[in-house]
Amino acid sequence: MTPIEMSIDSSCESTAAFATPASKRAANRAFGRGGLLSVNTISTLTIIILLVVWWATTTAGLIAPLFLPSPQAVVGKFWLVATKGFMDSTLGQHLAASLGRVLCALIVAVVLAIPTGIAIGLSRIAQGILDPLIELYRPVPPLAYLPLIVIWFGIGELSKVLLIFLAIYAPIAIATASGVRQVSPNRLRAAQSLGATRVQLLRYVVLPSAVPDILTGVRIGLGTGWSTLVAAELVAATSGLGFMVQSAAQFLVTDVVILGIGVIAIIAFALELSLRAVSRRLAPWREQGIS
């Protein structure tokens, strides 16, 4: 371990001394977060109650199956779509197509957005050039520039991945720039006093300090990109969860629509939990309330 890393680690450890379990429990009680039931238990009970209400409503015939099919009908359709398929593809093939597009867009966005955010956070010139460009397109809904993307890049896979990429790119770049700007000046001065070069400052101080913000940007960007999936698969797609939902809606196959929405939600939740685990692994001090 280099002297720079040792200095940073010692400062983190000294800060951690103030974040004792007793103080965390006191804070939880002060804000009403303490109780007999954990957050996971409450969340599980909420989902169970929602499913029971759904089952009771459809069983009592309060809503026609065309508008809201029963949970057992959706489960039965799940098995049918998973084995025999829907619109010439099984559920696994639709899922693989959608995940491939989103993950490809995510990888490209991470590779390009993190250097962009670092440049914006460190350089006044880069901020003046890149920040307005990002802020100009970021508030625009993906469906608004979808026709332009089709005109420029056609109706192939590139246009679909590009649309998702644009939805993911901005949150990561903005979060990275914010994390870089919030690096502690004390850490920078401590590293400089040990003779750190600009490259070492970036590697051992700036990037580790910005990791929590970068991961937050990835989580937000992935959620935005996953929600853009349906819009991306409107463009001459032959497979994908968004394509499956849109096709089922056109033919009023409501159980497939609900099935597709459910799968999209479950996959999004699984990706969010995965990113939380990565965040706990790479930035444990953020989970412990240490800045």
Side-chain angles (χ1 to χ4, degrees):
M1 181 178 291
T2 65
I4 298 172
E5 291 174 299
M6 293 175 62
S7 176
I8 296 171
D9 289 343
S10 62
S11 64
C12 289
E13 289 174 0
S14 61
T15 308
F18 297 98
T20 61
S23 63
K24 292 178 67 175
R25 287 193 298 268
N28 288 337
R29 288 193 299 269
F31 287 97
R33 292 195 295 262
L36 298 177
L37 299 178
S38 65
V39 174
N40 291 335
T41 303
I42 295 173
S43 299
T44 302
L45 290 175
T46 301
I47 295 175
I48 292 175
I49 292 173
L50 179 63
L51 292 175
V52 170
V53 171
W54 178 16
W55 171 82
T57 302
T58 54
T59 302
L62 300 178
I63 302 177
L66 176 63
F67 301 105
L68 183 63
S70 63
Q72 53 267 34
V74 175
V75 172
K77 185 62 70 172
F78 167 80
W79 176 255
L80 186 63
V81 174
T83 54
K84 297 185 178 180
F86 181 80
M87 299 299 292
D88 299 326
S89 297
T90 64
L91 182 61
Q93 292 170 331
H94 286 301
L95 177 59
S98 294
L99 280 176
R101 291 167 184 142
V102 172
L103 293 180
C104 180
L106 175 64
I107 292 172
V108 177
V110 168
V111 170
L112 297 180
I114 292 179
T116 301
I118 293 174
I120 293 174
L122 294 178
S123 172
R124 179 177 55 85
I125 297 175
Q127 180 181 1
I129 295 174
L130 299 174
D131 194 53
L133 300 178
I134 296 175
E135 292 296 341
L136 278 175
Y137 95 85
R138 182 181 63 85
V140 180
L143 283 176
Y145 46 78
L146 175 60
L148 189 60
I149 290 179
V150 172
I151 293 173
W152 285 352
F153 300 100
I155 58 175
E157 285 295 312
L158 177 60
S159 61
K160 301 176 183 61
V161 174
L162 180 59
L163 187 68
I164 301 172
F165 161 80
L166 291 174
I168 300 175
Y169 176 82
I172 299 178
I174 293 172
T176 302
S178 175
V180 170
R181 294 192 191 103
Q182 293 176 10
V183 175
S184 171
N186 293 332
R187 294 184 180 182
L188 290 173
R189 285 193 291 268
Q192 288 173 336
S193 67
L194 293 172
T197 63
R198 289 181 63 88
V199 175
Q200 289 175 324
L201 284 175
L202 180 62
R203 178 180 177 183
Y204 295 116
V205 181
V206 175
L207 279 179
S209 298
V211 162
D213 294 275
I214 293 174
L215 292 175
T216 299
V218 172
R219 289 169 56 184
I220 296 173
L222 184 57
T224 306
W226 191 250
S227 63
T228 309
L229 179 68
V230 176
E233 292 180 346
L234 287 173
V235 187
T238 57
S239 62
L241 294 174
F243 166 76
M244 184 181 77
V245 171
Q246 291 292 331
S247 301
Q250 291 176 357
F251 296 103
L252 297 179
V253 189
T254 314
D255 46 4
V256 175
V257 174
I258 294 179
L259 170 63
I261 293 173
V263 173
I264 290 174
I266 291 172
I267 297 301
F269 185 62
L271 292 174
E272 171 67 15
L273 291 181
S274 300
L275 287 174
R276 288 183 186 181
V278 173
S279 178
R280 287 192 296 268
R281 177 75 175 178
L282 297 181
W285 61 88
R286 173 62 64 91
E287 298 294 329
Q288 298 169 2
I290 305 171
S291 58

